[in-house]
Structure formats: C-alpha cells, structure tokens
Amino acid sequence: MEVIHLSHPGKWDIDPKRSVMALGFFDGVHRGHEKVILTAKRFADENGLQSAVMTFYPHPAVVLGKKENPEYLTPLPEKVKRIEALGVDRLYVVKFDEHFSSFGPQQFVDAYLVNLSVVHAVAGFDFTYGHKGEGTMRTLPEHASGRFQVTVIPKVEENGEKVSSTKIRELLRSGDVDEVPPYLGRYYEIEGTVVNGEKRGRTIGFPTANIESQESYFIPATGIYAVRTKVGGHWHDGVASIGFKPTFHDDYGERPAVEVHLFDFDGDLYGKQAVVRWFKKLRDEEKFDTVDALVNQMNRDAAEAQAYLQTRKG
C-alpha cells in the first residue's frame, strides 16, 4: 500500500489516479470502519479503479484545543497497518491543522477529492467535512456537482448499539475488554517497547515486562487482566497489571504503568517490541498490607488467567 501525506496548500507532486475513496478518521479501524473501506475497495475492484482511503492526523480535538494528548485506539502507525491489511492500494494522510480546519466544505471537496481524481466517495452516514463539520453526507452530492458518485454506509449495530470508537472507549474505560471484540472486530491491543522497571517482580517470583509506548494509546481501566503478549514473533499467555502499584507506592503518577508477566517465557525481553492483547479483567488494583498477601493473590490471578485463556482463541 502506498502511503501519501498531504498538507495544505494542495500542490502535491503525486499521480492522482482515478480512485474510489473511503473517507473517515477511522480511529480503531473497527467493524463499521471496515465496512466503509471494504465497500470502497469492492467498487474499485469492480470498475478497475484504484482503492483509496483518506484519513486525518492528528485528531481534530488537538487542533481545536479540546485535548492536548488524545489517546488513540489505533495510533497512526497501527492504523496504517490495519488499513493495509484490508487490501487498500493507497492511503492519504491529511495533516489536520488550523489552516485545514478553516476550509469550507466546498473547498475541501474541490481540493481533496476532485483534485485527487476521486470518481466515487464512500463514507459513513455520520461523516462530516469542512469548517466546524458543516459538510455532511447529505450535502456531499451537492458539493460533488456530478463530478463523482457518493455512497453512504448506514449505521452498523451490535446488540442494538452503534458500533463506534466512542462505544469501544467506554468499554475500555470500564475495564470490560472482553466485550470489545463484537464492536472492534478483534481483541484490543497496544504495542510498545519493554523497558527497565523497578525489577521488583523477579524478587517475588513474578518477573514482569514493563511496556512503554511512544504512541498515545488509549489504556484500559486500572486492574489485573488475562492477556496474550507477542514478542519475537511468538504469542505467550500471561497476566497484566495496569496501575500505580499501591502496595509499594503512596504517590501516584499521571499515567498508569503497564506490566506483563508471561507464563511460558524465560529470557531477556528488554528493548524488544511487544504487543499486548487484552482478553479479560480479573479484578481491580488493590493495596495489600504485606508482600506475601500480594504474592498469594498474584498466584490466584495467574491460575485464573491461565484457565480463562485456555478457553479462548486469538
């Protein structure tokens, strides 16, 4: 897949091949997003055209001053991988800055769709474009002025609820990671590097890998989880902690630490890339009176996680 980064003004040294374009922010690349993208790909394949996706970075909330550090379900590098896996030919990543946010709907259509030889645009029913989202899927045919076709993808639902990034965040925020797959289409994952931690785990029989990511992932609720972790190309069952280690610390940091204990691994993980897949929350984070009490609970957590993961694929 070819990845092209665009920023205003729109004088780009690229070959804008005639394409069917899927439009959206696509954070999560969840089931609803996949339907939009795969519909565009199908139209492109049927008509001998290039399949394309347009997304935006950073999150509009950053530019509009609503958030300083947005947390993504799929930070840009992972979003690129997910979209590429769907078989898309070309991905446009548009820089969302103050200048771009001031574009009127017609300006956006002319510069970023017509100018890129889009012959068919596909987006979800709630996609908006242009200054303050004034452009909607109802107005897009008008702004297209017959220069390209428009297909609107209706709401995708699960259990009577809209499949959305907002719903997935709600589930992660409450720790209900086991309920995420029907909406996301897979178990939630974060990726990072194993870094040096306090190395206390090895002294109590539970060596842990401290996962730190350069990307701004949305982190699930604090607590203890059954997980699988991929390192060195292999998946390992394990138990993970998201939290502030209250048994050992009175002062809490701003962001919880992510630590993973692997059941079937013996070796040095420092400096390696790791992907953590979140299966089920086992319990809340607790402060124990003694280290022995903590270790006893950790043994119970490990047994529960092992039993649970034996019943799960993925």
Side-chain angles (χ1 to χ4, degrees):
M1 182 180 71
E2 184 180 14
V3 180
I4 298 175
H5 292 262
L6 302 178
S7 59
H8 190 76
K11 296 180 180 179
W12 311 302
D13 185 20
I14 58 176
D15 176 18
K17 298 177 182 178
R18 285 163 51 85
S19 66
V20 182
M21 178 91 76
L23 302 167
F25 190 74
F26 300 125
D27 186 29
V29 195
H30 57 55
R31 286 181 51 227
H33 297 152
E34 287 187 354
K35 186 170 183 179
V36 173
I37 295 169
L38 291 176
T39 298
K41 176 175 168 51
R42 176 168 59 83
F43 288 154
D45 292 344
E46 290 172 351
N47 293 279
L49 299 169
Q50 183 180 70
S51 60
V53 170
M54 179 175 287
T55 190
F56 309 91
Y57 185 83
H59 194 285
V62 176
V63 177
L64 301 177
K66 296 179 182 179
K67 290 183 179 179
E68 291 185 6
N69 297 301
E71 295 175 308
Y72 299 99
L73 300 177
T74 47
L76 185 57
E78 183 177 346
K79 185 190 295 188
V80 171
K81 293 178 185 177
R82 297 284 178 187
I83 293 175
E84 182 174 27
L86 297 176
V88 172
D89 297 318
R90 178 178 282 185
L91 172 64
Y92 293 102
V93 181
V94 176
K95 182 180 181 181
F96 197 102
D97 56 18
E98 290 186 7
H99 198 135
F100 179 79
S101 70
S102 69
F103 262 37
Q106 189 67 64
Q107 284 179 289
F108 168 76
V109 169
D110 292 344
Y112 286 86
L113 299 183
V114 175
N115 193 35
L116 291 175
S117 299
V118 172
V119 300
H120 194 157
V122 182
F125 73 101
D126 54 355
F127 176 72
T128 61
Y129 59 96
H131 184 58
K132 295 184 178 180
E134 293 171 350
T136 69
M137 293 308 289
R138 289 185 178 182
T139 65
L140 187 54
E142 175 186 343
H143 291 132
S145 301
R147 292 171 292 179
F148 57 85
Q149 292 180 271
V150 175
T151 292
V152 181
I153 303 300
K155 177 169 57 176
V156 176
E157 293 186 326
E158 178 67 30
N159 295 324
E161 290 192 75
K162 174 188 170 186
V163 172
S164 68
S165 300
T166 298
K167 175 61 179 180
I168 294 167
R169 283 190 175 85
E170 288 176 0
L171 292 171
L172 295 174
R173 191 177 291 115
S174 61
D176 297 316
V177 296
D178 54 317
E179 297 182 26
V180 166
Y183 298 90
L184 186 60
R186 60 189 184 275
Y187 287 100
Y188 186 60
E189 296 177 357
I190 66 171
E191 182 173 356
T193 304
V194 180
V195 299
N196 280 306
E198 297 174 2
K199 301 181 180 180
R200 185 180 290 109
R202 67 181 64 180
T203 67
I204 59 176
F206 281 89
T208 59
N210 292 264
I211 313 296
E212 188 174 284
S213 181
Q214 297 300 313
E215 305 296 338
S216 184
Y217 276 97
F218 191 100
I219 303 299
T222 57
I224 309 304
Y225 293 82
V227 300
R228 286 198 175 109
T229 302
K230 184 179 181 180
V231 285
H234 300 284
W235 287 98
H236 304 269
D237 288 358
V239 62
S241 166
I242 300 176
F244 302 95
K245 294 174 269 192
T247 301
F248 302 103
H249 299 284
D250 292 326
D251 296 327
Y252 289 180
E254 293 183 1
R255 190 171 175 83
V258 177
E259 296 181 279
V260 179
H261 170 69
L262 308 182
F263 298 143
D264 58 348
F265 185 88
D266 182 18
D268 186 6
L269 292 173
Y270 294 118
K272 293 185 178 180
Q273 286 297 109
V275 177
V276 183
R277 182 176 291 169
W278 305 87
F279 280 81
K280 184 176 176 61
K281 184 177 179 181
L282 305 177
R283 63 175 176 86
D284 291 335
E285 184 176 43
E286 300 176 51
K287 181 173 183 176
F288 293 89
D289 293 332
T290 66
V291 173
D292 285 344
L294 170 62
V295 171
N296 289 335
Q297 181 59 57
M298 291 172 70
N299 280 311
R300 290 191 289 270
D301 296 336
E304 183 179 354
Q306 286 177 310
Y308 183 82
L309 291 169
Q310 285 177 359
T311 68
R312 291 295 181 273
K313 295 181 180 180

